[in-house]
C-alpha cells in the first residue's frame, strides 16, 4: 500500500455500525506494522461505546478529533471537496448506483498514482487567517449590536 492510497466505501447510512465496518476494512488493509492515526470530526457515530471499545482493543490505532466547527482542518473534508468538484458535479447521476460507481471510479483513478494530502500553508498562515476571520466577525457583531 502506497502513501496516499484512499480506502473508501459507500454505505447507505452513517451510524456507528457502518463506521465500525469501515474501521475493520482499514484494519485489514493497512499493514500490521504501521500505526494508524484516525482524524475524525465530532459526529456522534464516532464516539459511541462500540467505537471506543474497538479503539481500546487496538493499541496501534490513535484517534484524534478535530475541534468543533473546524472541518477545514480535516483532510478528509478536503478529499470530499475534491470529489465533489472533480467528479460528482461533472456528472448526471440518475440513481444511487450510478453515483456510487462514479465515486468508486474517482477513488480508483486517484489510487492509480496515490499522493498524500499535504498542508500548503504554515501554522502561522492558518492562525493569521483565523485571526482575520475573528476580527471580521467581531466587527460585524459590533455593527449589529
Amino acid at each position: 500500500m502506497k502513501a496516499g492510497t484512499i480506502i473508501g466505501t459507500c454505505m447507505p447510512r452513517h451510524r456507528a455500525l457502518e463506521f465500525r465496518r469501515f474501521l475493520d476494512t482499514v484494519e485489514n488493509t493497512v499493514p500490521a506494522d504501521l500505526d494508524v492515526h484516525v482524524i475524525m470530526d465530532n459526529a456522534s457515530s464516532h464516539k459511541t461505546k462500540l467505537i471506543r471499545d474497538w479503539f481500546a482493543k487496538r493499541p496501534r490505532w490513535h484517534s484524534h478529533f478535530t475541534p468543533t466547527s473546524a472541518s477545514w482542518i480535516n483532510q478528509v473534508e478536503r478529499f470530499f471537496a475534491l470529489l465533489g468538484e472533480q467528479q460528482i458535479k461533472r456528472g448526471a447521476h440518475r440513481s444511487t448506483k450510478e453515483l456510487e460507481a462514479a465515486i468508486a471510479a474517482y477513488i480508483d483513478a486517484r489510487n492509480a498514482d496515490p499522493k498524500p494530502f499535504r498542508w500548503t500553508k504554515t501554522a502561522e498562515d492558518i492562525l493569521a487567517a483565523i485571526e482575520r476571520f475573528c476580527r471580521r466577525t467581531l466587527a460585524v457583531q459590533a455593527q449589529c449590536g
Side-chain angles (χ1 to χ4, degrees), residues 61-74:
W61 284 73
H62 310 277
S63 59
H64 311 278
F65 290 95
T66 58
T68 303
S69 301
S71 60
W72 55 270
I73 207 168
N74 188 338

Side-chain angles (χ1 to χ4, degrees), residues 18-46:
E18 286 81 12
F19 185 53
R20 160 74 192 277
R21 278 193 295 210
F22 174 70
L23 293 174
D24 287 339
T25 299
V26 175
E27 173 76 356
N28 293 326
T29 305
V30 174
D33 61 325
L34 295 178
D35 278 7
V36 180
H37 289 264
V38 182
I39 301 164
M40 303 169 278
D41 62 14
N42 287 282
S44 60
S45 59
H46 299 155

Side-chain angles (χ1 to χ4, degrees), residues 5 33 43 68 96 98 111 120 132 140:
T5 300
D33 61 325
T68 303
T96 303
E98 284 184 14
N111 283 343
T120 58
R132 287 190 303 273
V140 168

Side-chain angles (χ1 to χ4, degrees), residues 2 7 9-11 13 15 19 21 23-24 28 40 66 70-71 79 90 96 101 113 128-129 136:
K2 289 178 71 177
I7 301 169
T9 184
C10 294
M11 296 185 192
R13 298 182 71 183
R15 301 173 299 179
F19 185 53
R21 278 193 295 210
L23 293 174
D24 287 339
N28 293 326
M40 303 169 278
T66 58
S71 60
F79 166 76
R90 294 179 179 202
T96 303
D113 185 24
R136 284 193 313 269

Side-chain angles (χ1 to χ4, degrees), residues 51-59:
I51 300 304
R52 287 191 317 270
D53 289 350
W54 192 94
F55 282 127
K57 293 176 185 170
R58 290 163 178 82

